[in-house]
Amino acid sequence: MNVIDCHIHFGQFGDINYTPEILVEKMRNLSVSTWCGMPFFSDQPFDVTSLINNYKQLLILAPTEFKPILAIDPEMIGNISNIQYFNDIQFMAIKIHPYIHHWLPFSAKFEQMLNFVRYKNIPLMIHTGGRALSDAGIFFNVCKSNPDIKFVLCHGRPAEEAIKVMLNSENVYVDTAFMDVEDIKLMISEGLHQRIIFGSDFPANQHFQPEITDIDWYNDRIDELVSHFGKEIFEVFNNNYEHVFKI
């Protein structure tokens, strides 16, 4: 079965560290045909030089499988010279983490970031859940007032808020990263199966569930989704990826 994953991380997260070499080996062992990668987020600004080196190394190691996602913080978007360093990398999307980096909707920095996404003509992935500043409903007006931008509300949390945003804006999607099966069922019951993309958040599971190997966890997650929704719906998730990320 073909697996496309829109939400993969590399680098350090707590006591785990997935270098480009390790990540490529894991993805190939799992037979993931296409995977979008970005660094783990922390409360520190990104090191631009390190980011570039990791993206380029991954593109060398996995030129057909790896699709880079540009993770940015407000300091980067406020410094055009930083962003220009990435011009020779073809990013599939941009990802932000609102509560870690204090992105405030409709603030000057947020508007700069939206303009950059619009200029690049790629989707904006937004972490949702965990704190009030990141709850999906916070971005209702942002998504509604920017219909020319595709938004992916990563994790779709809280599910009820994500559904409300999706039902009111056709340009909004979610990924399944750490999403409960019941929340996915709720979205499908609202007719939103065409707006769900498979994403795993791999290998963050190793930080939260070290008792199970990363390979076993990933395979179990695929089995869980297929057992509840069937292979046809899982293929819909893959097709949704191709639509949103313009392969």
Side-chain angles (χ1 to χ4, degrees):
M1 183 176 61
N2 187 40
V3 176
I4 299 174
D5 195 327
C6 78
H7 195 145
I8 296 289
H9 289 286
F10 56 81
Q12 187 82 33
F13 183 46
D15 56 354
I16 66 169
N17 186 16
Y18 278 63
T19 63
E21 293 87 354
I22 292 173
L23 187 57
V24 170
E25 180 183 5
K26 297 289 185 181
M27 290 291 96
R28 287 181 173 162
N29 285 341
L30 288 163
S31 299
V32 180
S33 64
T34 302
W35 43 280
C36 295
M38 70 199 92
F40 281 115
F41 286 73
S42 74
D43 57 4
Q44 297 299 312
F46 288 115
D47 182 319
V48 174
T49 301
S50 177
L51 265 186
I52 293 171
N53 290 338
N54 281 318
Y55 284 128
K56 289 185 175 180
Q57 189 173 3
L58 282 162
L59 286 167
I60 290 171
L61 294 170
T64 59
E65 309 106 295
F66 171 64
K67 309 297 180 184
I69 294 176
L70 176 57
I72 63 173
D73 58 53
E75 184 173 312
M76 287 170 63
I77 200 66
N79 186 338
I80 293 299
S81 63
N82 279 343
I83 296 298
Q84 287 175 340
Y85 289 134
F86 297 97
N87 282 344
D88 59 344
I89 299 175
Q90 186 176 354
F91 289 98
M92 302 297 291
I94 287 173
K95 167 79 180 293
I96 63 171
H97 202 303
Y99 79 72
I100 285 182
H101 290 139
H102 307 292
W103 288 100
L104 298 176
F106 299 108
S107 65
K109 286 288 182 70
F110 198 94
E111 290 298 317
Q112 280 182 283
M113 183 267 303
L114 286 179
N115 287 334
F116 182 64
V117 172
R118 184 177 288 109
Y119 169 72
K120 288 293 187 181
N121 193 28
I122 54 179
L124 175 64
M125 302 176 71
I126 304 174
H127 170 93
T128 63
R131 308 272 177 86
L133 186 60
S134 284
D135 283 349
I138 294 292
F139 303 99
F140 182 95
N141 289 328
V142 168
C143 297
K144 190 75 173 175
S145 59
N146 292 279
D148 57 326
I149 295 175
K150 287 187 173 72
F151 295 89
V152 180
L153 303 179
C154 302
H155 316 292
R157 295 176 178 167
E160 293 78 6
E161 293 186 15
I163 289 171
K164 182 179 179 181
V165 178
M166 295 164 76
L167 289 175
N168 282 274
S169 299
E170 294 183 357
N171 55 322
V172 181
Y173 300 77
V174 296
D175 73 18
T176 63
F178 283 109
M179 187 184 289
D180 290 340
V181 165
E182 293 305 314
D183 288 344
I184 299 174
K185 287 181 180 178
L186 188 60
M187 292 179 180
I188 291 176
S189 73
E190 294 285 349
L192 294 169
H193 57 286
Q194 299 289 351
R195 307 262 212 96
I196 303 172
I197 310 167
F198 174 67
S200 68
D201 219 350
F202 183 90
N205 56 285
Q206 280 302 102
H207 175 74
F208 298 110
Q209 298 173 287
E211 69 279 2
I212 181 171
T213 69
D214 50 8
I215 298 294
D216 286 342
W217 179 89
Y218 198 96
N219 285 325
D220 288 349
R221 178 58 168 166
I222 299 292
D223 290 344
E224 178 185 40
L225 294 177
V226 171
S227 66
H228 279 91
F229 306 108
K231 290 184 179 180
E232 289 186 4
I233 289 295
F234 193 85
E235 280 303 316
V236 170
F237 297 165
N238 283 339
N239 292 336
N240 295 341
Y241 166 86
E242 294 176 358
H243 171 68
V244 175
F245 291 88
K246 298 180 180 177
I247 296 179

